[in-house]
Amino acid sequence: MMAASTPEAARRGLPFGLTSHSSFRVLEHDLLVFRRGWHSYILSGLSQPFLYLLSMGVGLGYYVNRNGGIPGGVPYLDYIAPALLVTQAMMVASAESAWPLMSKIAWEKTYLAALNTPLGATSLLAGDLMWIAFRATLISVLFFAVILLFGAVSSPLAILAIPVALLTAMSFAAPIMAFTATQETDQPFNMLFRFGITPLFLFSGTFFPIENLPLFLRPLAWFTPLYHGVSLARGLSLGQIDPVADLVHLAVLIAFVAAGLVAARITFRRRLEV
Amino acid sequence: MPDSLWSQDSVIHARGLTKRFGAFTAVDGIEFDVAPGEAFGFLGPNGAGKTSTMRMIGTVSPVTAGTLTVFGLDPAHHGAQIRSRLGVVPQADTLDNELSVLENLLIYGRYFGLSWGESRRRAGELLDFVQLTERSGDKVEPLSGGMKRRLVIARALINEPEMLLLDEPTTGLDPQARHLLWDRLYRLKQRGVTLCLTTHYMDEAEQLCDRLVVMDKAKIVAEGSPRQLIERYVTREVLELRFNHEGGEAGDGIGGGGAAGLAGADRSTGEGADFDGQLAGLAERIEHLPDRLLVYTADGDATAAAAFERGLRPASVLVRRSSLEDVFLRLTGRSLVE
C-alpha cells in the first residue's frame, strides 16, 4: 500500500493529469491512419485551392477588377486567397471534430478501447486536437503553396497566414469537439454545417467586405472567430498591418480556442468517465 | 477470514460496492474477493449489474459508494496504474476498422507505453497465439465474429496483464469459435493470469470458473464454485417428465394415475397438485413448466421408477445431471428479462 502512491506521483507534471507522452500516443494512432491514405489528403489539399483560386480568384476576379474592384484597389485574387486559405483550414478542422470524433465515441467506440489502457479522456482530447492541428496545418501549407503558384501575395508576412489559419481552425475545432462529445447521433452536425459553418464561410468577409452586409448583420460577424481569422490573415498577406485591430483579432481567436478547450475537457470527461 | 487479510492477498476486493446512475442503482452494495490466479465469474441475467461491476473494476467507471481495490490500489486515485496491469475484453469489439489487424495491436501496445519494437514483437507472438498470423495485414472489417473476438483477446494481452477482465467473451460466437476461445483462456489461466469474466452461458461458467457469484437485480444472490452452487441450490440430478398434450388420454394414460397426470399437465399453469400428490416424498422440489415437469432428486432413475410404480405414464423420461443453469433459473427466475 505504501508503494501505491509513488508511481502516480511520478506522472510527469503536465496540467489536467496529462502525462507528457500519453496524448502523443493518441496522435500516433491518427498518423498511422493518415499513413494509409496520405496521398489522397495531399491531392485534395492541392486541388481544392487550385479550383477555388482559378474559378473565384481568376475567373470571377476578372469581372470584379474590371468593375471597380475591391475597395483599396487590391486585385480580387489577392483579396480572397488568404481568406480562402483560412476558411479551408476551418472547414476541414470543423468536419474532423464532428463525424470522425462521433465514430470514435459512439459508433466504432475505439475511444472505449483506448480508455482501458492508461490513457484517460483528457489524453484522448489532447491527442485528437493535435491531430486536427496537424491536418489544418497541412491543408494551410498546401493552400499557401498554390497561392504562391498563382503569385497572389504582396508581402513576406503572408506566410503568417498559415499560423493564423491554424489558430482559426482550432477556434472551431475545440468548441465543436466539446459539442460532439454531448451528442448521441450525427443529426445535429448537418444542422451545424448547414446553418452555421456554411453561412460563416460565405459571409465572414471571405468574398466581400462585411461592410457590404446589412447593418444589423455586421455585429454578428464580429462575434464569429472566422471573421477575425480572415481579417488577420488578409492584412498580413496584403502587408496591411493595423496593430490594434490585429491584436483584437488575435485575442478573439485565442479566447475561442481557450473556451473550447475548457468546454471540451468537461464534456469529454462527462461522456467518457461514467 | 478477516477483511484486512483478504484485502492484501486479493486481486480484487469489494465491500459494499455500489454504482448508481441518477436514481437508478445498477450495483447495490456487493461484496466479493478475487484471489490471484483464480478464474472468477459473474453470472446473471441482462441488467443484473455485471457490466457496471466490470467497468468499475476496470477503473473506467467511478465507484459511487463502498470500497473497491484492484491490485490493492484505489481506482479513484490509481486508475492509470491499475489499467496498465489489466487486460480488458469489452462486450463490444471496439476494434479500429481504419487499421489492419497488426496495426490494431501495435497502436494498443503504444497506448500502454511499449516501444514500437517491443509492441511489434509481442503482436507477432499474440497473433500466433490466437491463430491470426496469416490475417495480420488484413483490414479488421471482413474478419468473422470469432476472429474479431480473438483479436480483441490478443489486444487485451499486449501489456502482459496480471488479470484479464472479460465481459461476455463468447456471446454471439459459433460453437467452434467458443471452444477455441475457451482453450486460449484456459492456457492463460495455466500461466497464472487471473480471469474475471461475466457470462450468461452456464456451460461457459462451468468450463472456465473456479468460483462465481450469481447476480440478480444489482445484488449478489449466491457465491461458490459451480459444484458447490449445484449442491446448495439444486439436487444432484433432474428428472424431466414430458406428457403428451394432443393425444388426450390415449397412449400414455393407461393407469388410473396416468389420466390424472395428463389432466395435471394440461392445466400447466394451474395447481399441478395432482402431480405433487403423486410424487410426494419422491423429490426435493418439483417445477411445473408448460410442457414438462422438472423433478429435482438425488437419483433420477430411482425416482422415475418410483413414479412409474405410482402409475404415472409420461410420454418421455429424461434423467440428467443438474447444471448451473438449474441454479441460475432457480435463483433468478424464469421470467424474461428485457
Side-chain angles (χ1 to χ4, degrees):
Chain A
M1 281 318 229
M2 279 300 292
S5 61
T6 41
E8 196 74 4
R11 293 166 119 207
R12 265 151 290 173
L14 287 181
F16 305 131
L18 282 177
T19 51
S20 56
H21 54 267
S22 59
S23 44
F24 288 99
R25 298 272 153 81
V26 180
L27 175 64
E28 275 177 25
H29 162 270
D30 297 325
L31 293 176
L32 206 57
V33 176
F34 173 73
R35 203 178 62 165
R36 287 184 156 263
W38 63 272
H39 30 280
S40 72
Y41 285 99
I42 303 276
L43 198 68
S44 75
L46 286 173
S47 64
Q48 287 285 89
F50 190 79
L51 292 174
Y52 268 117
L53 293 180
L54 197 64
S55 65
M56 303 289 223
V58 179
L60 180 63
Y62 176 76
Y63 293 98
V64 174
N65 295 336
R66 279 207 353 175
N67 290 283
I70 287 291
V74 181
Y76 192 60
L77 175 65
D78 295 22
Y79 181 80
I80 64 167
L84 283 171
L85 185 156
V86 171
T87 51
Q88 279 301 296
M90 177 279 285
M91 296 280 246
V92 164
S94 299
E96 196 73 32
S97 313
W99 290 275
L101 181 59
M102 196 68 194
S103 172
K104 289 171 178 177
I105 292 176
W107 300 332
E108 292 191 359
K109 297 190 167 84
T110 50
Y111 265 8
L112 300 193
L115 288 170
N116 287 324
T117 74
L119 300 181
T122 309
S123 306
L124 293 173
L125 171 62
D128 276 339
L129 274 166
M130 285 194 279
W131 156 247
I132 292 173
F134 170 81
R135 273 214 72 184
T137 306
L138 181 72
I139 284 283
S140 306
V141 168
L142 294 172
F143 206 112
F144 189 73
V146 178
I147 290 178
L148 285 180
L149 209 70
F150 277 77
V153 287
S154 6
S155 160
L157 288 177
I159 194 153
L160 292 177
I162 294 172
V164 171
L166 170 61
L167 192 59
T168 312
M170 300 322 282
S171 74
F172 279 81
I176 294 177
M177 283 178 93
F179 174 70
T180 301
T182 64
Q183 296 306 300
E184 296 297 333
T185 73
D186 64 340
Q187 216 56 43
F189 298 151
N190 296 324
M191 301 287 279
L192 176 69
F193 275 73
R194 206 167 295 151
F195 300 111
I197 304 295
T198 307
L200 282 182
F201 165 59
L202 295 172
F203 297 104
S204 292
T206 320
F207 297 105
F208 55 88
I210 64 159
E211 284 69 31
N212 290 17
L213 286 174
L215 202 60
F216 71 97
L217 277 180
R218 260 178 255 170
L220 229 61
W222 298 334
F223 289 108
T224 69
L226 187 60
Y227 162 73
H228 295 278
V230 162
S231 303
L232 188 56
R234 178 175 287 140
L236 292 163
S237 181
L238 298 174
Q240 301 167 350
I241 307 297
D242 176 346
V244 175
D246 288 350
L247 277 177
V248 171
H249 294 322
L250 205 57
V252 172
L253 291 176
I254 290 171
F256 268 92
V257 174
L261 288 180
V262 171
R265 185 171 136 76
I266 293 169
T267 61
F268 261 57
R269 297 193 61 175
R270 208 173 274 167
R271 179 64 176 267
L272 298 171
E273 296 174 4
V274 289
Chain B
M1 203 177 296
D3 267 16
S4 56
L5 274 178
W6 259 121
S7 62
Q8 281 180 7
D9 305 341
S10 301
V11 181
I12 309 172
H13 171 78
R15 288 294 175 272
L17 181 59
T18 301
K19 180 72 192 183
R20 278 190 286 270
F21 300 100
F24 173 71
T25 303
V27 178
D28 192 2
I30 64 172
E31 325 222 316
F32 62 93
D33 284 274
V34 178
E38 192 177 24
F40 185 83
F42 290 95
L43 203 62
N46 291 332
K50 307 187 298 289
T51 298
S52 294
T53 304
M54 290 293 261
R55 286 175 48 78
M56 285 191 281
I57 299 169
T59 79
V60 291
S61 176
V63 172
T64 309
T67 316
L68 176 69
T69 63
V70 184
F71 304 123
L73 302 172
D74 177 1
H77 299 106
H78 307 287
Q81 210 187 325
I82 292 170
R83 291 197 297 278
S84 71
R85 298 163 67 183
L86 278 181
V88 179
V89 177
Q91 223 174 89
D93 286 330
T94 64
L95 289 165
D96 198 323
N97 288 317
E98 291 184 292
L99 298 177
S100 72
V101 167
L102 176 66
E103 285 170 334
N104 260 282
L105 297 184
L106 289 181
I107 197 66
Y108 216 63
R110 293 293 291 159
Y111 287 171
F112 277 102
L114 304 180
S115 70
W116 282 104
E118 180 62 13
S119 201
R120 195 169 286 278
R121 189 186 69 72
R122 291 191 192 177
E125 281 178 13
L126 288 169
L127 285 177
D128 225 30
F129 179 66
V130 297
Q131 298 180 10
L132 281 175
T133 305
E134 65 282 10
R135 304 303 295 263
S136 150
D138 292 3
K139 285 258 186 178
V140 169
E141 190 79 75
L143 298 185
S144 72
M147 288 176 171
K148 285 184 182 173
R149 280 283 81 184
R150 267 140 62 199
L151 181 56
V152 175
I153 292 198
R155 187 179 65 177
L157 294 173
I158 196 88
N159 58 324
E160 296 179 348
E162 294 159 55
M163 172 162 62
L164 207 51
L165 300 180
L166 304 120
D167 197 359
E168 295 186 14
T170 63
T171 296
L173 299 188
D174 60 36
Q176 286 81 0
R178 294 179 73 203
H179 280 274
L180 178 59
L181 218 64
W182 286 347
D183 171 68
R184 289 302 179 269
L185 293 178
Y186 187 69
R187 288 195 205 182
L188 288 169
K189 183 176 179 304
Q190 283 186 314
R191 288 188 206 165
V193 177
T194 306
L195 300 180
C196 180
L197 60 111
T198 75
T199 185
H200 42 226
Y201 294 131
M202 305 310 127
D203 49 349
E204 183 158 283
E206 283 184 287
Q207 285 267 349
L208 292 175
C209 298
D210 300 322
R211 205 159 55 86
L212 46 93
V213 292
V214 181
M215 283 189 79
D216 191 32
K217 300 185 184 77
K219 290 193 158 91
I220 289 177
V221 292
E223 186 258 319
S225 70
R227 204 64 253 158
Q228 285 172 335
L229 287 174
I230 290 168
E231 280 165 14
R232 198 174 315 149
Y233 294 99
V234 289
T235 50
R236 209 171 71 87
E237 294 187 335
V238 181
L239 169 66
E240 296 200 5
L241 301 176
R242 201 177 286 267
F243 294 91
N244 251 340
H245 283 233
E246 298 81 20
E249 287 180 48
D252 47 331
I254 293 166
L262 196 67
D266 278 339
R267 279 183 274 125
S268 53
T269 50
E271 323 78 66
D274 307 328
F275 285 128
D276 290 351
Q278 285 188 306
L279 294 166
L282 294 182
E284 264 184 42
R285 194 164 62 90
I286 302 171
E287 195 172 358
H288 302 259
L289 299 185
D291 62 334
R292 69 210 140 110
L293 282 185
L294 301 186
V295 183
Y296 295 88
T297 171
D299 185 342
D301 285 327
T303 308
F308 228 75
E309 263 168 38
R310 294 192 187 180
L312 271 178
R313 294 293 180 269
S316 74
V317 176
L318 171 73
V319 177
R320 61 170 174 83
R321 282 174 73 84
S322 297
S323 70
L324 265 187
E325 187 142 352
D326 298 306
V327 175
F328 184 80
L329 291 173
R330 166 98 197 259
L331 290 170
T332 65
R334 283 188 185 272
S335 59
L336 198 58
V337 183
E338 302 284 11

mmCIF file of all heavy atoms in Angstrom, chain B residues 201-228:
data_model
loop_
_atom_site.group_PDB
_atom_site.id
_atom_site.type_symbol
_atom_site.label_atom_id
_atom_site.label_comp_id
_atom_site.label_asym_id
_atom_site.label_seq_id
_atom_site.Cartn_x
_atom_site.Cartn_y
_atom_site.Cartn_z
ATOM 1 N N TYR B 201 -23.829 -17.662 -20.149
ATOM 2 C CA TYR B 201 -23.786 -19.058 -20.597
ATOM 3 C C TYR B 201 -23.326 -19.939 -19.441
ATOM 4 O O TYR B 201 -22.231 -19.778 -18.926
ATOM 5 C CB TYR B 201 -22.819 -19.232 -21.754
ATOM 6 C CG TYR B 201 -23.228 -18.533 -23.012
ATOM 7 C CD1 TYR B 201 -22.344 -17.728 -23.697
ATOM 8 C CD2 TYR B 201 -24.515 -18.705 -23.532
ATOM 9 C CE1 TYR B 201 -22.716 -17.095 -24.858
ATOM 10 C CE2 TYR B 201 -24.888 -18.075 -24.696
ATOM 11 C CZ TYR B 201 -23.992 -17.266 -25.358
ATOM 12 O OH TYR B 201 -24.346 -16.636 -26.513
ATOM 13 N N MET B 202 -24.180 -20.889 -19.070
ATOM 14 C CA MET B 202 -23.845 -21.741 -17.941
ATOM 15 C C MET B 202 -22.674 -22.658 -18.253
ATOM 16 O O MET B 202 -21.817 -22.905 -17.415
ATOM 17 C CB MET B 202 -25.043 -22.597 -17.541
ATOM 18 C CG MET B 202 -26.282 -21.800 -17.249
ATOM 19 S SD MET B 202 -25.945 -20.468 -16.125
ATOM 20 C CE MET B 202 -26.618 -19.128 -17.072
ATOM 21 N N ASP B 203 -22.639 -23.159 -19.502
ATOM 22 C CA ASP B 203 -21.534 -24.064 -19.832
ATOM 23 C C ASP B 203 -20.206 -23.325 -19.768
ATOM 24 O O ASP B 203 -19.191 -23.869 -19.357
ATOM 25 C CB ASP B 203 -21.743 -24.718 -21.196
ATOM 26 C CG ASP B 203 -22.106 -23.715 -22.264
ATOM 27 O OD1 ASP B 203 -22.406 -22.560 -21.923
ATOM 28 O OD2 ASP B 203 -22.093 -24.095 -23.456
ATOM 29 N N GLU B 204 -20.245 -22.056 -20.146
ATOM 30 C CA GLU B 204 -19.018 -21.255 -20.094
ATOM 31 C C GLU B 204 -18.552 -21.096 -18.649
ATOM 32 O O GLU B 204 -17.379 -21.264 -18.337
ATOM 33 C CB GLU B 204 -19.286 -19.884 -20.715
ATOM 34 C CG GLU B 204 -18.081 -19.001 -20.791
ATOM 35 C CD GLU B 204 -18.275 -17.924 -21.857
ATOM 36 O OE1 GLU B 204 -18.140 -18.266 -23.048
ATOM 37 O OE2 GLU B 204 -18.576 -16.788 -21.508
ATOM 38 N N ALA B 205 -19.489 -20.778 -17.789
ATOM 39 C CA ALA B 205 -19.147 -20.605 -16.376
ATOM 40 C C ALA B 205 -18.600 -21.912 -15.800
ATOM 41 O O ALA B 205 -17.614 -21.924 -15.064
ATOM 42 C CB ALA B 205 -20.373 -20.152 -15.598
ATOM 43 N N GLU B 206 -19.229 -23.037 -16.166
ATOM 44 C CA GLU B 206 -18.771 -24.320 -15.634
ATOM 45 C C GLU B 206 -17.404 -24.699 -16.181
ATOM 46 O O GLU B 206 -16.586 -25.289 -15.500
ATOM 47 C CB GLU B 206 -19.801 -25.413 -15.942
ATOM 48 C CG GLU B 206 -21.001 -25.344 -15.016
ATOM 49 C CD GLU B 206 -21.988 -26.488 -15.239
ATOM 50 O OE1 GLU B 206 -22.680 -26.457 -16.267
ATOM 51 O OE2 GLU B 206 -22.058 -27.387 -14.402
ATOM 52 N N GLN B 207 -17.180 -24.356 -17.460
ATOM 53 C CA GLN B 207 -15.891 -24.662 -18.089
ATOM 54 C C GLN B 207 -14.762 -23.853 -17.482
ATOM 55 O O GLN B 207 -13.674 -24.363 -17.259
ATOM 56 C CB GLN B 207 -15.957 -24.318 -19.587
ATOM 57 C CG GLN B 207 -16.734 -25.286 -20.432
ATOM 58 C CD GLN B 207 -15.838 -26.343 -21.027
ATOM 59 O OE1 GLN B 207 -14.617 -26.216 -20.962
ATOM 60 N NE2 GLN B 207 -16.441 -27.375 -21.570
ATOM 61 N N LEU B 208 -15.003 -22.575 -17.285
ATOM 62 C CA LEU B 208 -13.898 -21.657 -17.018
ATOM 63 C C LEU B 208 -13.730 -21.264 -15.558
ATOM 64 O O LEU B 208 -12.621 -20.984 -15.130
ATOM 65 C CB LEU B 208 -14.086 -20.370 -17.837
ATOM 66 C CG LEU B 208 -13.942 -20.500 -19.346
ATOM 67 C CD1 LEU B 208 -14.269 -19.169 -20.013
ATOM 68 C CD2 LEU B 208 -12.534 -20.934 -19.728
ATOM 69 N N CYS B 209 -14.829 -21.216 -14.800
ATOM 70 C CA CYS B 209 -14.743 -20.551 -13.492
ATOM 71 C C CYS B 209 -14.432 -21.498 -12.345
ATOM 72 O O CYS B 209 -15.084 -22.521 -12.185
ATOM 73 C CB CYS B 209 -16.050 -19.815 -13.189
ATOM 74 S SG CYS B 209 -16.408 -18.533 -14.379
ATOM 75 N N ASP B 210 -13.446 -21.107 -11.535
ATOM 76 C CA ASP B 210 -13.208 -21.814 -10.280
ATOM 77 C C ASP B 210 -14.305 -21.457 -9.295
ATOM 78 O O ASP B 210 -14.722 -22.265 -8.484
ATOM 79 C CB ASP B 210 -11.873 -21.372 -9.664
ATOM 80 C CG ASP B 210 -10.716 -21.661 -10.591
ATOM 81 O OD1 ASP B 210 -10.748 -22.710 -11.249
ATOM 82 O OD2 ASP B 210 -9.800 -20.818 -10.666
ATOM 83 N N ARG B 211 -14.725 -20.201 -9.381
ATOM 84 C CA ARG B 211 -15.666 -19.703 -8.395
ATOM 85 C C ARG B 211 -16.491 -18.626 -9.070
ATOM 86 O O ARG B 211 -15.997 -17.929 -9.957
ATOM 87 C CB ARG B 211 -14.888 -19.082 -7.224
ATOM 88 C CG ARG B 211 -15.612 -19.043 -5.907
ATOM 89 C CD ARG B 211 -14.592 -18.900 -4.787
ATOM 90 N NE ARG B 211 -13.735 -17.734 -5.009
ATOM 91 C CZ ARG B 211 -14.069 -16.513 -4.612
ATOM 92 N NH1 ARG B 211 -15.199 -16.285 -3.975
ATOM 93 N NH2 ARG B 211 -13.259 -15.498 -4.852
ATOM 94 N N LEU B 212 -17.739 -18.517 -8.659
ATOM 95 C CA LEU B 212 -18.541 -17.477 -9.284
ATOM 96 C C LEU B 212 -19.584 -16.942 -8.334
ATOM 97 O O LEU B 212 -19.897 -17.538 -7.308
ATOM 98 C CB LEU B 212 -19.193 -17.985 -10.572
ATOM 99 C CG LEU B 212 -19.881 -19.339 -10.562
ATOM 100 C CD1 LEU B 212 -21.351 -19.161 -10.262
ATOM 101 C CD2 LEU B 212 -19.708 -20.005 -11.922
ATOM 102 N N VAL B 213 -20.097 -15.769 -8.700
ATOM 103 C CA VAL B 213 -21.221 -15.208 -7.973
ATOM 104 C C VAL B 213 -22.376 -15.076 -8.958
ATOM 105 O O VAL B 213 -22.157 -14.814 -10.136
ATOM 106 C CB VAL B 213 -20.906 -13.827 -7.349
ATOM 107 C CG1 VAL B 213 -19.894 -13.960 -6.226
ATOM 108 C CG2 VAL B 213 -20.430 -12.844 -8.397
ATOM 109 N N VAL B 214 -23.573 -15.289 -8.471
ATOM 110 C CA VAL B 214 -24.755 -15.073 -9.290
ATOM 111 C C VAL B 214 -25.319 -13.719 -8.910
ATOM 112 O O VAL B 214 -25.540 -13.445 -7.724
ATOM 113 C CB VAL B 214 -25.814 -16.172 -9.054
ATOM 114 C CG1 VAL B 214 -27.034 -15.935 -9.942
ATOM 115 C CG2 VAL B 214 -25.211 -17.547 -9.322
ATOM 116 N N MET B 215 -25.472 -12.860 -9.904
ATOM 117 C CA MET B 215 -26.042 -11.529 -9.641
ATOM 118 C C MET B 215 -27.457 -11.458 -10.187
ATOM 119 O O MET B 215 -27.747 -12.017 -11.244
ATOM 120 C CB MET B 215 -25.201 -10.433 -10.311
ATOM 121 C CG MET B 215 -23.919 -10.096 -9.575
ATOM 122 S SD MET B 215 -23.108 -8.636 -10.277
ATOM 123 C CE MET B 215 -24.079 -7.307 -9.547
ATOM 124 N N ASP B 216 -28.320 -10.794 -9.440
ATOM 125 C CA ASP B 216 -29.675 -10.560 -9.916
ATOM 126 C C ASP B 216 -30.148 -9.238 -9.327
ATOM 127 O O ASP B 216 -29.974 -9.007 -8.124
ATOM 128 C CB ASP B 216 -30.587 -11.716 -9.494
ATOM 129 C CG ASP B 216 -31.939 -11.649 -10.195
ATOM 130 O OD1 ASP B 216 -31.983 -11.183 -11.351
ATOM 131 O OD2 ASP B 216 -32.939 -12.067 -9.590
ATOM 132 N N LYS B 217 -30.688 -8.388 -10.148
ATOM 133 C CA LYS B 217 -31.211 -7.091 -9.713
ATOM 134 C C LYS B 217 -30.215 -6.339 -8.852
ATOM 135 O O LYS B 217 -30.506 -5.907 -7.745
ATOM 136 C CB LYS B 217 -32.526 -7.275 -8.955
ATOM 137 C CG LYS B 217 -33.612 -7.949 -9.805
ATOM 138 C CD LYS B 217 -34.931 -8.009 -9.050
ATOM 139 C CE LYS B 217 -35.980 -8.757 -9.837
ATOM 140 N NZ LYS B 217 -35.786 -10.234 -9.777
ATOM 141 N N ALA B 218 -28.983 -6.204 -9.382
ATOM 142 C CA ALA B 218 -27.938 -5.381 -8.777
ATOM 143 C C ALA B 218 -27.300 -5.978 -7.516
ATOM 144 O O ALA B 218 -26.431 -5.368 -6.918
ATOM 145 C CB ALA B 218 -28.441 -3.960 -8.480
ATOM 146 N N LYS B 219 -27.741 -7.186 -7.127
ATOM 147 C CA LYS B 219 -27.187 -7.780 -5.899
ATOM 148 C C LYS B 219 -26.589 -9.158 -6.190
ATOM 149 O O LYS B 219 -26.953 -9.812 -7.164
ATOM 150 C CB LYS B 219 -28.293 -7.932 -4.859
ATOM 151 C CG LYS B 219 -28.805 -6.627 -4.280
ATOM 152 C CD LYS B 219 -29.656 -6.915 -3.047
ATOM 153 C CE LYS B 219 -29.741 -5.720 -2.142
ATOM 154 N NZ LYS B 219 -30.879 -4.852 -2.438
ATOM 155 N N ILE B 220 -25.686 -9.576 -5.310
ATOM 156 C CA ILE B 220 -25.179 -10.940 -5.392
ATOM 157 C C ILE B 220 -26.137 -11.842 -4.630
ATOM 158 O O ILE B 220 -26.442 -11.588 -3.463
ATOM 159 C CB ILE B 220 -23.757 -11.043 -4.802
ATOM 160 C CG1 ILE B 220 -22.766 -10.341 -5.735
ATOM 161 C CG2 ILE B 220 -23.363 -12.500 -4.595
ATOM 162 C CD1 ILE B 220 -21.336 -10.318 -5.217
ATOM 163 N N VAL B 221 -26.649 -12.884 -5.302
ATOM 164 C CA VAL B 221 -27.626 -13.740 -4.640
ATOM 165 C C VAL B 221 -27.038 -15.095 -4.257
ATOM 166 O O VAL B 221 -27.644 -15.839 -3.492
ATOM 167 C CB VAL B 221 -28.900 -13.937 -5.500
ATOM 168 C CG1 VAL B 221 -29.675 -12.625 -5.605
ATOM 169 C CG2 VAL B 221 -28.560 -14.455 -6.891
ATOM 170 N N ALA B 222 -25.846 -15.431 -4.792
ATOM 171 C CA ALA B 222 -25.215 -16.685 -4.401
ATOM 172 C C ALA B 222 -23.743 -16.622 -4.767
ATOM 173 O O ALA B 222 -23.346 -15.886 -5.667
ATOM 174 C CB ALA B 222 -25.871 -17.858 -5.108
ATOM 175 N N GLU B 223 -22.930 -17.418 -4.067
ATOM 176 C CA GLU B 223 -21.498 -17.391 -4.320
ATOM 177 C C GLU B 223 -20.922 -18.776 -4.044
ATOM 178 O O GLU B 223 -21.326 -19.435 -3.096
ATOM 179 C CB GLU B 223 -20.849 -16.344 -3.411
ATOM 180 C CG GLU B 223 -19.384 -16.096 -3.651
ATOM 181 C CD GLU B 223 -18.486 -16.770 -2.630
ATOM 182 O OE1 GLU B 223 -18.832 -16.742 -1.445
ATOM 183 O OE2 GLU B 223 -17.458 -17.338 -3.042
ATOM 184 N N GLY B 224 -20.014 -19.232 -4.884
ATOM 185 C CA GLY B 224 -19.366 -20.518 -4.651
ATOM 186 C C GLY B 224 -18.789 -21.085 -5.926
ATOM 187 O O GLY B 224 -18.826 -20.436 -6.973
ATOM 188 N N SER B 225 -18.237 -22.310 -5.848
ATOM 189 C CA SER B 225 -17.759 -22.977 -7.051
ATOM 190 C C SER B 225 -18.984 -23.521 -7.781
ATOM 191 O O SER B 225 -20.049 -23.690 -7.172
ATOM 192 C CB SER B 225 -16.813 -24.115 -6.692
ATOM 193 O OG SER B 225 -17.540 -25.159 -6.083
ATOM 194 N N PRO B 226 -18.873 -23.801 -9.073
ATOM 195 C CA PRO B 226 -20.034 -24.358 -9.789
ATOM 196 C C PRO B 226 -20.613 -25.580 -9.056
ATOM 197 O O PRO B 226 -21.817 -25.703 -8.881
ATOM 198 C CB PRO B 226 -19.448 -24.739 -11.148
ATOM 199 C CG PRO B 226 -18.316 -23.801 -11.360
ATOM 200 C CD PRO B 226 -17.747 -23.561 -9.992
ATOM 201 N N ARG B 227 -19.733 -26.451 -8.590
ATOM 202 C CA ARG B 227 -20.158 -27.666 -7.888
ATOM 203 C C ARG B 227 -20.920 -27.328 -6.602
ATOM 204 O O ARG B 227 -21.984 -27.862 -6.333
ATOM 205 C CB ARG B 227 -18.892 -28.485 -7.580
ATOM 206 C CG ARG B 227 -19.057 -29.962 -7.383
ATOM 207 C CD ARG B 227 -19.531 -30.678 -8.615
ATOM 208 N NE ARG B 227 -20.931 -31.067 -8.457
ATOM 209 C CZ ARG B 227 -21.742 -31.330 -9.464
ATOM 210 N NH1 ARG B 227 -21.314 -31.234 -10.708
ATOM 211 N NH2 ARG B 227 -22.992 -31.672 -9.255
ATOM 212 N N GLN B 228 -20.321 -26.402 -5.843
ATOM 213 C CA GLN B 228 -20.954 -26.005 -4.568
ATOM 214 C C GLN B 228 -22.337 -25.410 -4.804
ATOM 215 O O GLN B 228 -23.272 -25.699 -4.066
ATOM 216 C CB GLN B 228 -20.095 -24.950 -3.854
ATOM 217 C CG GLN B 228 -18.852 -25.503 -3.205
ATOM 218 C CD GLN B 228 -17.964 -24.385 -2.681
ATOM 219 O OE1 GLN B 228 -18.016 -23.254 -3.166
ATOM 220 N NE2 GLN B 228 -17.130 -24.710 -1.700
#
